[in-house]
Amino acid sequence: MDTKVKAGIIVLIVVAVMFFLPATCSSSRKVHANSLQNAYRSAKIIKNYIRDDSKRLEFQIAFGTLQKIKTEEGGEDAFLDAVDGKTAEEIIELARQEVNAKIASGDKQYAKYQSWEDMVKQLTKNTPKVLGSERPQKAYE
């Protein structure tokens, strides 16, 4: 193989590692939101580690709700700043606070809900529980 080809392959591998490493190798399971694509990738990885179906759904609702609220308030950067470095629990808690504040202020989009818990319950009431979908915990986790 030509030296230039080898060097080109090595450069491509290094660039690929630099691009994927931050989003995939975090032992803390936090959202890495330096871009919208990385935020989605991190959220997907985090979601896959949540064993409980109801918590997984709540995380998905929280992430989407925060994206909607924060993007309306200050654009994509406001959303990325809000979720960057947060765990699933922190994202759910932030969404809970935001939704409860919207309900308390009389926001028409959230008028049909009494609280965050009520919103999650209403949004998931027709979602069937998938039996056996909870991933068994591995010894090294």
Side-chain angles (χ1 to χ4, degrees):
M1 211 188 269
D2 185 51
T3 315
K4 289 182 181 180
V5 174
K6 287 181 183 177
I9 291 173
I10 290 172
V11 168
L12 286 174
I13 291 171
V14 169
V15 169
V17 167
M18 288 174 30
F19 182 75
F20 290 109
L21 196 63
T24 60
C25 293
S26 173
S27 62
S28 61
R29 295 193 184 114
K30 293 183 179 182
V31 173
H32 299 281
N34 57 348
S35 71
L36 195 56
Q37 184 178 10
N38 278 346
Y40 290 154
R41 188 177 297 120
S42 293
K44 184 177 179 180
I45 290 168
I46 290 169
K47 179 190 76 152
N48 288 336
Y49 278 99
I50 300 173
R51 287 165 199 66
D52 180 74
D53 282 342
S54 60
K55 271 293 180 201
R56 188 179 307 122
L57 284 170
E58 187 176 20
F59 172 72
Q60 289 178 272
I61 292 168
F63 191 83
T65 301
L66 280 176
Q67 182 177 12
K68 182 178 185 318
I69 291 172
K70 293 299 185 181
T71 302
E72 287 173 356
E73 289 175 357
E76 184 179 298
D77 288 339
F79 166 66
L80 296 176
D81 290 342
V83 298
D84 190 37
K86 296 216 175 10
T87 64
E89 286 6 352
E90 292 169 329
I91 288 174
I92 291 169
E93 183 56 35
L94 182 58
R96 177 181 287 116
Q97 292 169 3
E98 292 285 337
V99 167
N100 286 337
K102 294 279 187 187
I103 292 169
S105 70
D107 189 310
K108 292 178 183 175
Q109 292 180 358
Y110 298 90
K112 58 186 168 190
Y113 307 117
Q114 302 297 315
S115 65
W116 165 257
E117 289 76 14
D118 181 49
M119 182 176 120
V120 170
K121 184 178 177 182
Q122 285 188 39
L123 292 175
T124 60
K125 70 180 172 189
N126 293 324
T127 305
K129 178 160 175 61
V130 181
L131 296 176
S133 68
E134 289 87 1
R135 191 175 57 82
Q137 187 169 0
K138 296 179 181 166
Y140 57 84
E141 292 184 322

